[in-house]
């Protein structure tokens, strides 16, 4: 499972699609979310995985990196080839001082 660091994700910008796998209340909650991230909660993945563009690299994100690692594994098993998990999730992203939408 590939992991990507917050700095690298920030540098890649819109060249990758960011998929946030948290629940909607977490996405809108105190940690906020990465600008441009698409919300697909992990429990909705069986029905929604095909919404993710197979032709572009995907970075999965959650609070700490555990649920997004599961999502990255699911994507790989589904045949996606350019998949990475954000190491440390939104906790690391915020502590590193990168911008968020929403949040406290």
């Amino acid at each position: 499972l590939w992991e990507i660091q917050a700095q690298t994700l920030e540098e890649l910008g819109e060249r990758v699609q960011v998929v946030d796998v948290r629940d909607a209340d977490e996405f809108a909650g105190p940690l906020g979310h990465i600008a441009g991230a698409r919300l697909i909660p992990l429990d909705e993945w069986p029905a929604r995985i095909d919404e993710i563009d197979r032709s572009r690299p995907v970075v999965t994100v959650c609070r700490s990196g555990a649920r997004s690692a599961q999502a990255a594994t699911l994507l790989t098993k589904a045949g996606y080839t350019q998949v990475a998990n954000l190491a440390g999730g939104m906790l690391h992203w915020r502590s590193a001082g990168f911008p968020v939408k929403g949040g406290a």
Side-chain angles (χ1 to χ4, degrees):
L1 175 66
W2 288 95
E3 283 203 323
I4 189 171
Q5 298 299 318
Q7 177 69 41
T8 304
L9 179 55
E10 173 71 7
E11 290 168 3
L12 288 170
E14 293 184 15
R15 289 178 282 186
V16 298
Q17 52 187 330
V18 177
V19 179
D20 196 313
V21 304
R22 297 176 294 164
D23 295 329
D25 60 334
E26 291 177 278
F27 188 78
L31 284 177
H33 59 271
I34 297 170
R38 173 185 218 151
L39 176 64
I40 304 179
L42 190 57
D43 62 354
E44 296 178 14
W45 274 59
R48 298 185 61 194
I49 195 167
D50 289 333
E51 293 178 24
I52 301 166
D53 185 348
R54 289 180 179 269
S55 69
R56 294 181 57 215
V58 182
V59 177
T60 56
V61 179
C62 69
R63 180 180 176 274
S64 66
R67 284 175 287 175
S68 53
Q70 291 175 21
T73 299
L74 290 172
L75 285 169
T76 302
K77 287 180 179 176
Y80 290 77
T81 57
Q82 301 177 81
V83 180
N85 178 40
L86 177 62
M90 287 302 296
L91 291 172
H92 181 73
W93 181 267
R94 287 291 301 253
S95 70
F98 292 112
V100 296
K101 291 282 193 182

